[in-house]
Amino acid sequence: MNVSERLFRELMGRAGIAVNGPEPWDIHVSDPRFYGRVLAWKNLGLGEAYMDGWWDCPRLDEFFCRVLSAGLEDQVRGNLRLALSLVPALVLNRQTRRLSRRVARRHYDLDSALFAAFLDPNMQYSCAYFTDGEDLERAQLAKMELICAKLGLGPEDHLLDIGCGFGGLARYAASTRGCRVTGVNISREQLAFARKFCADLPVELVEQDYRELSGTYSRVVSVGMFEHVGARNHRAFLRAVRRVLEPGGVFLLHTIGSNRSAAACDPWINRYIFPGGQLPSPAQIGAAGEGLFVIEDWHNLGPHYARTLRCWHENFEAAWPRLAERFDERFHRMWRYYLLSCAGAFAARDIQVWQLVMTPTGAAQPACRLGAAGTC
């Protein structure tokens, strides 16, 4: 046993994880180069080694939950090369209008059939809301109903949906509340799907960056898009919302969040899934909205996302035989790693999902009464 393997085994032991052990969260190493790669490149090396088939684990989500709950990430010293790769995020704006389109091209513009294979029928690519023992479809309907209730949407409203995804929320709001909806997005693949999905409803869908917003809206919502804005642009984003929101309007922000302020996201996620992504912290959101908005309600849905991701993974694996005609096995392992590593992170409470209801500074509190469940 070389030094790298001994150090890795010792580190995993602190989280109750064995190498080639019998538990579902134990890992099975098939290539001895794995140990040096992980100790050198930490999270990035771990993910790339999995994609290359150097190791496996029956329950990746449980593995990551244990690793993060034990704080192992903080116990491994990073190397200089990995640290230097994060420098651009500290000194540059990696979410400019031009650079922000990378994530659309690399992720959201993938074939809609891929997403349809694992999402619910309403194509909700964000955290569901499991209020009881319901399945994914009903939990996603509950999430959309929760958002509409928190916004107090009615037929008289014009809703702006920033980063409208595949149009599921716009479709739900227009069909259940009778309101007008304008959705903006920079993913052409999502917009093409959304336009068909929302046909014959009072929904307008526009290819537009949030910095180009114009007009006036009584309600504004943004679900799962703020993670791509970046800390350097948080205030610009909230200024744009404030500019188009009526004085008595309501804004709901639904975002994944980090317990700590950081300049960049996980290096593996940044390279392979969401380039340029950055999870906001409570401090960053609060500072960005200071003087612009009053936070009326802050609701944490984090544990619901672990279950959502496990549902997506189950659907993805069931659909893989037909997806394999278009994607190779390395993509299969990459996507599995993405879904289950994130499920483990939410289960460990390492990252969160927040819904914030905001009103312009000086406005009256919204009419609906917001409690822990966000019901009116």
Side-chain angles (χ1 to χ4, degrees):
M1 184 184 300
N2 61 33
V3 174
S4 295
E5 180 177 351
R6 180 177 57 78
L7 288 174
F8 181 83
R9 286 176 177 268
E10 178 185 331
L11 189 68
M12 291 296 108
R14 299 174 194 172
I17 297 168
V19 176
N20 302 324
E23 301 295 343
W25 53 79
D26 290 334
I27 73 168
H28 300 267
V29 177
S30 56
D31 191 313
R33 293 175 295 175
F34 164 82
Y35 303 105
R37 188 175 186 178
V38 173
L39 291 179
W41 290 100
K42 297 176 66 178
N43 297 15
L44 181 61
L46 186 69
E48 290 183 334
Y50 185 83
M51 291 166 61
D52 290 339
W54 290 12
W55 67 282
D56 271 296
C57 176
R59 286 293 304 271
L60 276 173
D61 54 336
E62 292 289 344
F63 167 79
F64 279 102
C65 183
R66 286 174 174 264
V67 165
L68 292 168
S69 295
L72 297 191
E73 188 179 21
D74 295 331
Q75 297 177 40
V76 180
R77 297 177 64 183
N79 68 28
L80 180 60
R81 287 178 297 174
L82 185 59
L84 288 175
S85 72
L86 301 177
V87 168
L90 296 172
V91 298
L92 302 174
N93 184 353
R94 303 183 75 178
Q95 294 86 13
T96 62
R97 295 189 194 203
R98 181 179 62 84
L99 293 177
S100 66
R101 291 185 176 269
R102 289 176 304 165
V103 70
R105 293 193 302 269
R106 289 271 301 277
H107 190 86
Y108 296 106
D109 281 344
L110 290 170
D111 190 342
S112 294
L114 166 66
F115 295 98
F118 69 87
L119 298 180
D120 67 295
N122 283 292
M123 295 290 281
Q124 291 295 286
Y125 194 26
S126 59
C127 181
Y129 185 54
F130 295 90
T131 57
D132 199 356
E134 68 268 41
D135 59 16
L136 178 64
E137 180 179 356
R138 287 183 292 168
Q140 290 290 15
L141 287 170
K143 185 270 299 294
M144 292 189 290
E145 179 60 30
L146 179 68
I147 289 172
C148 291
K150 287 181 177 182
L151 286 167
L153 278 175
E156 71 285 355
D157 286 308
H158 187 181
L159 172 67
L160 172 66
D161 185 350
I162 305 175
C164 58
F166 295 101
L169 178 59
R171 184 172 184 263
Y172 183 86
S175 60
T176 65
R177 296 307 197 273
C179 60
R180 294 168 56 209
V181 183
T182 296
V184 299
N185 197 338
I186 60 172
S187 167
R188 292 176 181 175
E189 182 73 20
Q190 285 189 331
L191 281 171
F193 184 97
R195 287 179 178 130
K196 296 177 182 177
F197 202 39
C198 297
D200 302 323
L201 287 169
V203 175
E204 180 185 11
L205 297 158
V206 182
E207 184 179 343
Q208 188 177 65
D209 187 277
Y210 71 87
R211 283 160 281 219
E212 301 164 352
L213 292 173
S214 61
T216 305
Y217 304 87
S218 60
R219 299 290 187 268
V220 178
V221 67
S222 181
V223 179
M225 182 267 182
F226 197 62
E227 302 91 327
H228 304 299
V229 169
R232 290 178 176 270
N233 304 304
H234 286 164
R235 189 159 181 85
F237 178 89
L238 293 181
R239 281 188 184 278
V241 173
R242 180 66 188 88
R243 186 177 69 247
V244 299
L245 184 64
E246 292 179 359
V250 180
F251 169 48
L252 187 144
L253 176 66
H254 175 123
T255 181
I256 300 172
S258 173
N259 296 324
R260 294 178 288 185
S261 299
C265 72
D266 176 272
W268 185 86
I269 291 286
N270 180 68
R271 177 171 292 185
Y272 292 100
I273 307 298
F274 298 120
Q278 183 181 0
L279 302 185
S281 70
Q284 289 170 328
I285 294 174
E290 187 172 325
L292 297 174
F293 289 101
V294 172
I295 298 175
E296 305 285 356
D297 186 61
W298 194 314
H299 184 185
N300 193 337
L301 281 69
H304 295 260
Y305 218 162
R307 185 172 173 184
T308 302
L309 284 154
R310 288 177 180 130
C311 289
W312 289 348
H313 171 254
E314 182 178 342
N315 292 343
F316 174 74
E317 294 295 348
W320 179 251
R322 66 178 186 272
L323 292 174
E325 298 174 2
R326 294 192 295 276
F327 302 97
D328 63 18
E329 182 58 23
R330 196 165 193 265
F331 181 91
H332 184 197
R333 294 180 68 85
M334 179 184 76
W335 210 261
R336 178 195 296 147
Y337 188 89
Y338 153 52
L339 294 174
L340 291 180
S341 64
C342 289
F346 283 107
R349 306 308 308 280
D350 186 65
I351 50 179
Q352 315 299 328
V353 177
W354 299 313
Q355 284 187 356
L356 288 80
V357 177
M358 305 184 197
T359 55
T361 299
Q365 192 171 48
C368 63
R369 186 177 68 256
L370 295 166
T375 56
C376 294

